Amino acid sequence: MPEADRERFSDFLARLSPRDRGDLLRLALRRKVAKCELVFQAGSAGNFVHFLEAGRVKVYHLSSGGKEVLLWFCLPGEIFGLAEVCHGGGRQVYAEACESSSVLSVSQRDFKAYLETHPAVALLVNDVLACRLRNLGNVIQSLVASDVNERVVQLLVRLAATHGHKAPNGEICLDIRLTHQEMANMIGTTRQSVTSALNALRRLGVLDFDDNHHLRIHSERLLSETCVPAQHPGA
Amino acid sequence: MPEADRERFSDFLARLSPRDRGDLLRLALRRKVAKCELVFQAGSAGNFVHFLEAGRVKVYHLSSGGKEVLLWFCLPGEIFGLAEVCHGGGRQVYAEACESSSVLSVSQRDFKAYLETHPAVALLVNDVLACRLRNLGNVIQSLVASDVNERVVQLLVRLAATHGHKAPNGEICLDIRLTHQEMANMIGTTRQSVTSALNALRRLGVLDFDDNHHLRIHSERLLSETCVPAQHPGA
DNA sequence: CGGTTTCTGTCGGCTGGCCGACATGTCCCG
DNA sequence: CGGGACATGTCGGCCAGCCGACAGAAACCG
């Protein structure tokens, strides 16, 4: 189920040619970010684009009631803070380090000038934005049309694709450890409901936890819990 | 509340220089699309990008249970079907004409080659994708963190921004007529709940309907029904 | 190592809004 | 123009899952 080279795919820096990467890094400032420290926050100016060199960063909305809506996790090599740099306007989301991290930052002005002279990179930025757009479209569909148990399953499918690696025996192990609250924040439900759904899936044999408490998915069983997209009447 | 030049903003073709536009149109095929006809559907190859010349097109997911999740409407001049062209992979959404429409189509291969030689247009594509990404992020937050009445209000704010024009007396008139079902499909609720919420807002004086049944919003009253984004603790 | 904080498992009361239904109003098309 | 299709207004029963709570387990940090 994980797409081949998925990890390499999301690693923006690794997908640049050595020359393009060198030109970009020449524009970048490096910064250490402690666990729980904000890289940027909603309301601030979106005048830098960031690359995660090491660590993990979560990107989330924070609602007026204080509810955190977690959009995605950034892994090393990934670009983030991109939407406001491309489109302009202030930040709408928060980017916060989940662990001690290292971030490279390029100013909006430098980045735009760089894209104008590096067409292959501009296309790659399109690619990243398009991929995230498709993903959010899937999240919206899931939120609207699926009950909580289905949403947990669909999240597992997404996590397997972005953070999973296939073990020799066909199982998929997630490289990332998430709390039930984090998962709940990604699918718009409560921690308790995630706990309950995961335990039901565990009893069904769909998943378990390895010695390090990483989630391990039995992919064939997971697929049997997954809904297939509908064919349009008239198709 | 409507951003100045919002309509011009989303009109991709109008934002191109005459030369860039001419080069692009040289690659395009024109096609008439009847009301309710699909421009493309989920599962098909994403090998064309489309520009709406006239008419209106809705872009939506269709869930396995047959529930339509409406992501956005395309207006004349707008580009759509872009995400799969940039990122690759099959279509995940449907694009269907809401009325008799005219569509210009450019093949993925031609479009990518075009972007490589037209850097300003590649940046504009970034802009469009980023804008849509921000919008979907807001939709997700709304779905997760707001009750139905709040979601209706937030939808009105979004519609005013993208489809509204300011009348001399400060009211905002929507240029687009939406059924309650369409609005429900945009915010993940039922037609009945939208009807109920709209009627409550009408009784509050927030909105009414003009002679053509277009929705008219009293923007100051609408703002008083809108939640403000939270300040992050520690900001 | 031990105290504190965070995470997970479990429970039951409560309610927002979904759902199906029906009546009335509006629009469309032959 | 008029009949049929579609949209809107209204109602009440029902339930998925939210919420608050508590206990036990696990992780963290000085």
Side-chain angles (χ1 to χ4, degrees), chain B residues 8 29 44 51-52 72 96-97 99 101 107 119 128 132 137-138 143 185 195-196 209 233:
Chain B
R8 190 181 310 270
L29 297 177
S44 63
F51 302 86
L52 187 61
W72 57 73
E96 176 182 317
E99 63 195 56
S101 304
S107 78
V128 169
R132 290 187 183 153
N138 289 333
L143 286 171
N185 291 346
T195 301
S196 176
F209 295 89

Side-chain angles (χ1 to χ4, degrees), chain A residues 7-173:
Chain A
E7 185 115 48
R8 188 180 311 269
F9 171 80
S10 69
D11 187 340
F12 188 90
L13 293 176
R15 288 173 74 194
L16 301 182
S17 72
R19 174 176 167 158
D20 286 346
R21 191 183 315 117
D23 289 347
L24 182 60
L25 294 183
R26 227 162 274 127
L27 305 173
L29 297 176
R30 179 177 284 110
R31 167 182 165 200
K32 292 290 181 187
V33 186
K35 182 178 175 180
C36 299
E37 186 183 341
L38 293 173
V39 181
F40 59 76
Q41 62 184 313
S44 62
N47 49 15
F48 283 86
V49 64
H50 306 281
F51 302 86
L52 186 62
E53 197 177 37
R56 181 155 68 102
V57 166
K58 65 180 179 179
V59 178
Y60 61 94
H61 275 270
L62 199 53
S63 76
S64 56
K67 190 170 177 95
E68 173 182 307
V69 184
L70 215 169
L71 297 179
W72 57 72
F73 290 99
C74 289
L75 298 179
E78 291 192 16
I79 184 171
F80 64 106
L82 185 55
E84 291 82 8
V85 167
C86 293
H87 175 58
R91 302 284 191 195
Q92 296 183 338
V93 296
Y94 297 81
E96 176 182 319
C98 306
E99 63 194 58
S100 182
S101 303
S102 172
V103 172
L104 298 169
S105 305
V106 177
S107 77
Q108 178 179 34
R109 177 168 140 180
D110 287 346
F111 191 61
K112 283 196 162 179
Y114 168 83
L115 290 184
E116 282 171 1
T117 52
H118 296 73
V121 185
L123 285 192
L124 185 55
V125 167
N126 283 347
D127 200 350
V128 169
L129 290 170
C131 181
R132 290 188 183 151
L133 195 58
R134 282 160 63 103
N135 183 61
L136 291 195
N138 289 333
V139 171
I140 287 174
Q141 181 181 359
S142 185
L143 287 171
V144 168
S146 306
D147 65 28
V148 167
N149 287 338
E150 289 163 342
R151 301 214 295 279
V152 168
V153 168
Q154 286 151 12
L155 174 64
L156 291 175
V157 171
R158 293 200 295 275
L159 290 175
T162 53
H163 300 278
H165 69 270
K166 201 144 198 176
N169 61 358
E171 295 171 340
I172 298 166
C173 300

Side-chain angles (χ1 to χ4, degrees), chain A residues 61 84 87 126-127 141, chain B residues 61 84 87 126-127 134 141:
Chain A
H61 275 270
E84 291 82 8
H87 175 58
N126 283 347
D127 200 350
Q141 181 181 359
Chain B
H61 276 268
E84 291 83 7
H87 174 59
N126 283 349
D127 200 353
R134 282 159 63 102
Q141 180 178 2

Side-chain angles (χ1 to χ4, degrees), chain B:
Chain B
M1 187 179 328
E3 295 181 21
D5 292 328
R6 169 57 73 184
E7 185 116 50
R8 190 181 310 270
F9 171 79
S10 70
D11 187 340
F12 189 90
L13 293 176
R15 286 173 75 193
L16 301 182
S17 73
R19 173 177 170 160
D20 286 346
R21 192 185 314 118
D23 289 348
L24 182 60
L25 294 182
R26 226 162 274 129
L27 304 173
L29 297 177
R30 180 176 284 110
R31 167 180 164 201
K32 292 291 182 187
V33 186
K35 183 180 176 180
C36 299
E37 185 183 340
L38 294 173
V39 181
F40 59 76
Q41 60 183 311
S44 63
N47 48 15
F48 281 87
V49 65
H50 306 280
F51 302 86
L52 187 61
E53 197 176 38
R56 182 158 64 105
V57 166
K58 64 179 179 179
V59 178
Y60 61 94
H61 276 268
L62 199 54
S63 76
S64 56
K67 190 169 176 93
E68 172 181 309
V69 184
L70 215 168
L71 297 178
W72 57 73
F73 290 100
C74 289
L75 298 180
E78 290 191 21
I79 184 172
F80 65 105
L82 185 54
E84 291 83 7
V85 167
C86 292
H87 174 59
R91 302 285 191 196
Q92 296 182 336
V93 295
Y94 296 81
E96 176 182 317
C98 306
E99 63 195 56
S100 182
S101 304
S102 172
V103 172
L104 298 168
S105 307
V106 177
S107 78
Q108 180 180 34
R109 176 167 140 180
D110 287 346
F111 190 63
K112 282 196 165 182
Y114 167 85
L115 290 184
E116 281 173 1
T117 52
H118 295 74
V121 184
L123 285 192
L124 185 56
V125 168
N126 283 349
D127 200 353
V128 169
L129 289 169
C131 182
R132 290 187 183 153
L133 195 59
R134 282 159 63 102
N135 182 61
L136 290 195
N138 289 333
V139 171
I140 288 174
Q141 180 178 2
S142 185
L143 286 171
V144 168
S146 306
D147 67 28
V148 167
N149 287 338
E150 290 163 344
R151 301 211 297 277
V152 168
V153 168
Q154 286 151 15
L155 175 62
L156 291 174
V157 172
R158 293 200 296 273
L159 289 174
T162 55
H163 301 277
H165 69 271
K166 203 143 195 176
N169 62 355
E171 296 169 340
I172 298 166
C173 299
L174 292 194
D175 300 325
I176 187 174
R177 281 189 61 182
L178 297 181
T179 65
H180 296 184
Q181 185 64 64
E182 281 170 328
M183 292 167 82
N185 291 346
M186 293 175 89
I187 59 173
T189 186
T190 59
R191 190 274 302 165
Q192 292 93 324
S193 297
V194 168
T195 301
S196 176
L198 288 181
N199 286 328
L201 290 172
R202 188 165 25 171
R203 287 193 294 271
L204 285 173
V206 173
L207 59 87
D208 56 25
F209 295 89
D210 70 14
D211 294 339
N212 296 324
H213 297 269
H214 280 70
L215 206 148
R216 187 160 52 192
I217 302 167
H218 303 280
S219 53
E220 334 79 39
R221 296 184 187 198
L222 183 69
L223 284 180
S224 72
E225 298 286 324
T226 308
C227 297
V228 201
Q231 285 300 313
H232 189 78

